[in-house]
Every structure is written in structure tokens, then in C-alpha cells.
Amino acid sequence: MREPRSTANRTVLAVTGLALALGGLWLATARTSFAAHLPGGWPVPFAGSVLLDREGLATLRGHDWWTPAVLAAGVSATLLLALWLLSQLHVRNRSRLPLAAPGSALRTHALECAVSERAAAIDGVARCRVRIHTRRRRLRLRIHTWLAPDTAPEAVLDALTAVTAELERATAPYTVETRVRLSHRTHRMQHVR
């Protein structure tokens, strides 16, 4: 399942790209021989003219709604883009994880190290890196595992599932969302010189 942030980013990029592509298509075809084949309502500027001349701009500025509308649109777009930028920053939320027992807390770095050691002890795992991100009552666990040569991923996945189930029991009030990435180490060939 794709993360909501990634989906929103791709949607905004797709809509922006489509709008820019349509605008570019209009600019490219409005003054060429394709202009005769455009639909009847399609605006076609005259040769040697601009899209919005001084008289057209003065007419728009003459309306009472024009200046507040342009300012509101500019401020809204700036605020939305600033909020979007701030939401993209990846900040680690908490370094301590409060547990169910009163007065108890666990450092997330220590938990990462413990899970990494448990995963590295699995047969067939050459190396393992674990990252834990906390958000409210959810733990997002990212495990990147490098398999030893000739290791079947199924056996390693079953053992990693047991490790994550143990982690979920240990951090009882939290739900754990796990993402596993498997890589393999290739056979190292000796180079002859």
C-alpha cells in the first residue's frame, strides 16, 4: 500500500503537469497552421499581439473584484505551498517511547538496535538495518535486510515476522506497521591481475 503523502505528491505533480502540458499545447498551436483546425470557442490571438494587452488589463483592473481576487489567490497559493513544503520535512518525532507501565519509557534508538540484533541473528541474514518512526500510537518499522548468498527469502521472512510479532507484544499499546526490504549479497569473485 502506498503512503498517503506519496499519493498526494504524485497527484499534485500529475495535475500540475497536465495543466502545464495543456497550456504549452495551447501556446504551441494557437499561432500555427493548426489554429484553423481548433474548435470554434478556442481563443486564438492575432499575429503580432499579446495574450493580455494594456486595454484588457485596464478593463480587468477597473472591476472592484480584480485586485482582491488576485491578492487572495496569490496569498492562498503561497500558504498552501508553504504548508506542503513543511509537511515534506522528515522530522523524527520522539526519541523516547512511553510504555504502558507507569513512568516507563524506551529510547527508540535502543529499540532499533535490539530489533536489528535479533534480525541479524537469523540464519541467512548477513546484515540488517532497522528504523523506527513513532506517530501517536503507531510504530512504523522499516527493516532492510541483506541476505547471505544462496538464502531463500521465505525462511527469513517467516523469522522476521516472528521478530516483529515479539516487538508488537513488547510495545503493547502501540500498533506496529512493518515494511521489509530484502537485498542480497552477491558472491564475491576474486579478481586475477
Side-chain angles (χ1 to χ4, degrees), residues 139-156:
L139 293 178
R140 292 172 58 186
L141 179 66
R142 304 290 182 250
I143 303 175
H144 188 176
T145 305
W146 286 267
L147 302 177
D150 301 326
T151 301
E154 295 86 16
V156 173

Side-chain angles (χ1 to χ4, degrees), residues 61-82:
R61 286 182 178 162
H63 296 292
D64 291 337
W65 56 267
W66 174 254
T67 303
V70 169
L71 286 175
V75 168
S76 299
T78 303
L79 285 176
L80 285 173
L81 289 173

Side-chain angles (χ1 to χ4, degrees), residues 125-138:
V125 173
R127 195 176 84 173
C128 184
R129 184 181 66 212
V130 175
R131 294 288 176 251
I132 296 176
H133 300 283
T134 60
R135 179 170 272 177
R136 294 187 189 122
R137 291 290 179 188
R138 248 181 27 205

Side-chain angles (χ1 to χ4, degrees), residues 8 11 24 35-36 39 65 68 95 97 107 110 113-114 120-121 136 152 170-171:
T11 303
W65 56 267
S95 61
L97 185 69
R107 293 176 56 191
C113 291
R136 294 187 189 122
T171 57

Side-chain angles (χ1 to χ4, degrees), residues 21-32 42 45 51:
L22 289 175
L25 179 66
W26 179 74
L27 288 173
T29 60
R31 292 191 178 134
T32 62
W42 193 273
L51 293 176

Side-chain angles (χ1 to χ4, degrees), residues 38-192:
L38 293 174
W42 193 273
V44 179
F46 298 108
S49 68
V50 294
L51 293 176
L52 188 60
D53 58 356
R54 290 184 188 270
E55 291 83 22
L57 186 59
T59 304
L60 284 174
R61 286 182 178 162
H63 296 292
D64 291 337
W65 56 267
W66 174 254
T67 303
V70 169
L71 286 175
V75 168
S76 299
T78 303
L79 285 176
L80 285 173
L81 289 173
L83 288 174
W84 187 34
L85 173 70
L86 290 175
S87 72
Q88 300 306 306
L89 298 175
H90 296 287
V91 178
R92 267 191 111 140
N93 293 351
R94 292 180 246 166
S95 61
R96 292 189 178 267
L97 185 69
L99 296 176
S104 64
L106 178 64
R107 293 176 56 191
T108 55
H109 182 69
L111 188 59
E112 287 173 354
C113 291
V115 173
S116 181
E117 286 177 13
R118 293 271 294 135
I122 297 171
D123 288 335
V125 173
R127 195 176 84 173
C128 184
R129 184 181 66 212
V130 175
R131 294 288 176 251
I132 296 176
H133 300 283
T134 60
R135 179 170 272 177
R136 294 187 189 122
R137 291 290 179 188
R138 248 181 27 205
L139 293 178
R140 292 172 58 186
L141 179 66
R142 304 290 182 250
I143 303 175
H144 188 176
T145 305
W146 286 267
L147 302 177
D150 301 326
T151 301
E154 295 86 16
V156 173
L157 278 176
D158 291 339
L160 284 175
T161 303
V163 169
T164 58
E166 182 182 343
L167 173 70
E168 193 161 12
R169 285 190 304 273
T171 57
Y174 292 89
T175 59
V176 178
E177 174 191 323
T178 306
R179 210 173 253 188
V180 177
R181 179 178 172 193
L182 296 175
S183 300
H184 63 66
R185 287 194 162 182
T186 58
H187 294 285
R188 302 254 171 161
M189 301 293 289
Q190 292 184 357
H191 295 279
V192 179

